[in-house]
Amino acid sequence: MTTTIRFILGDQLSRDISSLADIGGDDVVLMCEVAEEAGYVPHHKKKIALVFSAMRHFAEELRRSDIRVDYRDYDESLASFTEALRDAVERHGADRVVVTEAAEYRVLEMQKDWARDLCVEVELRPDDRFIATQREFADWADGRKELRMEFFYREMRRKTGHLIAADGGPEGGDWNFDKDNREALPDNIAIPERPTYTVDDTTREVLDLVEARFADHPGDLERFTYPVTRRQALHYLNWFVDEALPCFGTYQDAMRQGEALLFHSHLSALINCGLLGARECCERAEAAYRDGEAPLNAVEGFIRQIIGWREFIRGIYWHQMPGYGARNALEAKRDLPDFFWTGDTQMNCLRQSITETLENAYAHHIQRLMVIGNFALLAGLDPKQVQDWYLAIYHDAYEWVEMPNVVGMILYADAGLVASKPYAASGAYIHRMSDYCENCRFAVTKKNGPKACPFNYLYWDFIGRNRERFAGNRRMGMIDRTLQRMSDDKRDAIRDDAARFFRALSKGEV
Ligand SMILES: Cc1cc2nc3c(=O)[nH]c(=O)nc-3n(C[C@H](O)[C@H](O)[C@H](O)COP(=O)(O)OP(=O)(O)OC[C@H]3O[C@@H](n4cnc5c(N)ncnc54)[C@H](O)[C@@H]3O)c2cc1C
Ligand code: SF4
């Protein structure tokens, strides 16, 4: 009798994953917590706990369906996926392996070698949980001068039929309602309280394991209340759609001190590890719109994030790999400041965003993009170090999604492949969208001098430093002309302030 191993990776926790499609009674599902994956960057403790706990619960669910599962708990001697599979093939006398293609280039390359290295038949199946295939993205991208999410998104709307009106056009007459999604939070608005999930015995074992084996990783395991099962994940999705989605669009860009989640879905980690499907999240949101329970700007905004941004980002990753992670178009080389690991900085917006990140392994998009990312861009931080930080610290971070967001969206290190211009902003933007500046030792209205908000002079210093690199960019040209119209004294003050700031930064004094 022959045995087939169905190998499920930690971000493939979906019952409808292609590798389980035709599972037979004698097949064995292999799942393992391997040292290389848990430790190749110092992942946040809550991130490791979430993935291991979700994996163990998924394995229990399979067993309850009478599926044979070979689950290998974390053990430093189980070095890599390849070693774990070699061992399982021997133990089960298997001659065939079925596996869904890994989401990351590095692991896919490993998978491609398994047939040769392990002398078994390996069937690699596409990951059809994504809406666009890699081929579709490549066909769309080839021959285009610029790859812009907005046009790709329209293709995805047509493909899925989401928010398509009876006449075949976009629901509400527009493809994109982002212009309605930039409001600051009113003072008196109530933020909905999140459901929390009790730590069961399985999760308790994982928390103890992470505490013992990953003690030197960032973050802590306090208040670990996130969903870890399919049932909890669905409950969380339903809660989001009922309670937070109606305001999601309008306040999507807002930030408030002490409020980490606001109206965001907090679903990315659940979608990325497979407990929720991207399609079902969009279907649920669209149903709320059709039932009159959520407005179009919210539902379109949410669906755009998933079938637009998420798919576009994945398309860019595979289109550009290998080599994308090494891009550094702005030749940025400053070391990542220590405060990224402690939150210990006097710049309140950064302190809040990083502290919340360290506490929750989460920050919402505008904190990642316009506070932390904006700082990394203006300060010229080394792209590789910034990538490693984002990959380690967020519970939803996998290379395929982290890398294009960092290299392309925040650092402009791909010279404009993802973003038509750098997402650079002065303190005025942060002031408009948050209450952070009210509690900061710097003055957002001051442009220069020791009390001035550093984002104000760093912004102009960044424009000046990179003016030759931006010479061909029409939108950046307009900004550069404003800089050139400033007096010599003003431009000198900007340079001096930036130099003083960077000296202090290098001494850890910011
Ligand atoms: C520098 C940087 C790094 C990022 N790294 C990651 C990462 O490692 N993993 C990750 O899933 N997202 C990443 N994002 C995208 C986005 O910030 C997160 O998906 C989002 O903050 C997750 O919170 P949420 O579930 O509450 O999202 P919501 O605001 O509720 O959005 C809904 C969903 O849309 C999807 N989404 C939205 N924006 C993006 C985007 N730019 N790329 C991909 N998916 C998107 C996510 O699945 C998210 O759950 C990054 C963004 C930036 C600027
Ligand atoms: S003043 Fe500047 S540094 Fe301080 S919170 Fe506002 S934007 Fe951030």
Short mmCIF file of all heavy atoms in Angstrom, two decimals, residues 427-428 431 437 442-448 451-453 456:
data_model
loop_
_atom_site.label_atom_id
_atom_site.label_comp_id
_atom_site.label_asym_id
_atom_site.label_seq_id
_atom_site.Cartn_x
_atom_site.Cartn_y
_atom_site.Cartn_z
N GLY A 427 4.56 66.98 9.62
CA GLY A 427 3.76 66.76 10.82
C GLY A 427 2.30 67.16 10.64
O GLY A 427 1.42 66.66 11.35
N ALA A 428 2.02 68.04 9.68
CA ALA A 428 0.64 68.53 9.51
C ALA A 428 -0.32 67.37 9.24
O ALA A 428 -1.45 67.37 9.72
CB ALA A 428 0.58 69.55 8.37
N HIS A 431 -0.99 65.56 12.45
CA HIS A 431 -1.81 66.43 13.30
C HIS A 431 -3.27 66.39 12.86
O HIS A 431 -4.19 66.29 13.68
CB HIS A 431 -1.26 67.85 13.20
CG HIS A 431 -1.97 68.82 14.09
ND1 HIS A 431 -2.33 68.52 15.38
CD2 HIS A 431 -2.41 70.08 13.87
CE1 HIS A 431 -2.94 69.55 15.92
NE2 HIS A 431 -3.02 70.50 15.01
N CYS A 437 -0.30 64.95 18.48
CA CYS A 437 0.54 66.16 18.65
C CYS A 437 0.21 66.90 19.94
O CYS A 437 1.07 67.61 20.49
CB CYS A 437 0.37 67.09 17.45
SG CYS A 437 0.77 66.27 15.90
N PHE A 442 7.28 68.15 21.08
CA PHE A 442 7.57 68.99 19.92
C PHE A 442 6.30 69.74 19.50
O PHE A 442 5.19 69.27 19.75
CB PHE A 442 8.09 68.15 18.76
CG PHE A 442 9.37 67.43 19.08
CD1 PHE A 442 9.38 66.07 19.32
CD2 PHE A 442 10.56 68.14 19.16
CE1 PHE A 442 10.56 65.40 19.64
CE2 PHE A 442 11.75 67.48 19.48
CZ PHE A 442 11.74 66.11 19.72
N ALA A 443 6.50 70.88 18.84
CA ALA A 443 5.34 71.67 18.40
C ALA A 443 5.14 71.46 16.90
O ALA A 443 6.02 71.80 16.11
CB ALA A 443 5.58 73.15 18.70
N VAL A 444 3.96 70.95 16.56
CA VAL A 444 3.73 70.61 15.15
C VAL A 444 3.64 71.86 14.29
O VAL A 444 3.93 71.83 13.09
CB VAL A 444 2.47 69.71 15.03
CG1 VAL A 444 1.19 70.47 15.30
CG2 VAL A 444 2.44 69.01 13.68
N THR A 445 3.29 72.98 14.89
CA THR A 445 3.18 74.22 14.11
C THR A 445 4.54 74.86 13.87
O THR A 445 4.67 75.75 13.04
CB THR A 445 2.28 75.23 14.86
OG1 THR A 445 2.73 75.27 16.22
CG2 THR A 445 0.82 74.83 14.81
N LYS A 446 5.56 74.45 14.63
CA LYS A 446 6.89 75.04 14.45
C LYS A 446 7.63 74.31 13.34
O LYS A 446 7.67 73.08 13.33
CB LYS A 446 7.69 74.94 15.75
CG LYS A 446 7.47 76.08 16.70
CD LYS A 446 8.45 75.96 17.85
CE LYS A 446 8.84 77.24 18.50
NZ LYS A 446 9.15 78.36 17.73
N LYS A 447 8.25 75.09 12.46
CA LYS A 447 8.92 74.47 11.31
C LYS A 447 10.41 74.24 11.57
O LYS A 447 11.01 73.35 10.99
CB LYS A 447 8.79 75.36 10.06
CG LYS A 447 7.36 75.78 9.75
CD LYS A 447 6.56 74.61 9.21
CE LYS A 447 5.15 75.02 8.86
NZ LYS A 447 4.14 74.12 9.33
N ASN A 448 11.01 75.07 12.39
CA ASN A 448 12.46 74.94 12.62
C ASN A 448 12.82 75.20 14.06
O ASN A 448 12.05 75.81 14.79
CB ASN A 448 13.23 75.92 11.72
CG ASN A 448 13.20 75.52 10.27
OD1 ASN A 448 12.49 76.10 9.47
ND2 ASN A 448 13.95 74.48 9.92
N LYS A 451 12.54 72.93 19.14
CA LYS A 451 11.17 72.57 19.56
C LYS A 451 10.29 72.13 18.39
O LYS A 451 9.20 71.61 18.58
CB LYS A 451 10.50 73.77 20.24
CG LYS A 451 10.99 74.05 21.64
CD LYS A 451 9.78 74.27 22.54
CE LYS A 451 9.97 73.84 23.97
NZ LYS A 451 11.06 74.47 24.66
N ALA A 452 10.78 72.37 17.18
CA ALA A 452 9.93 72.09 16.00
C ALA A 452 9.69 70.60 15.85
O ALA A 452 10.54 69.77 16.20
CB ALA A 452 10.60 72.62 14.75
N CYS A 453 8.52 70.25 15.30
CA CYS A 453 8.21 68.85 15.00
C CYS A 453 9.25 68.33 13.99
O CYS A 453 9.38 68.89 12.89
CB CYS A 453 6.81 68.76 14.40
SG CYS A 453 6.51 67.17 13.62
N ASN A 456 8.57 68.02 10.26
CA ASN A 456 8.48 69.21 9.40
C ASN A 456 9.78 69.47 8.65
O ASN A 456 9.78 69.62 7.43
CB ASN A 456 8.11 70.44 10.24
CG ASN A 456 6.68 70.34 10.73
OD1 ASN A 456 5.89 69.54 10.20
ND2 ASN A 456 6.32 71.12 11.74
#
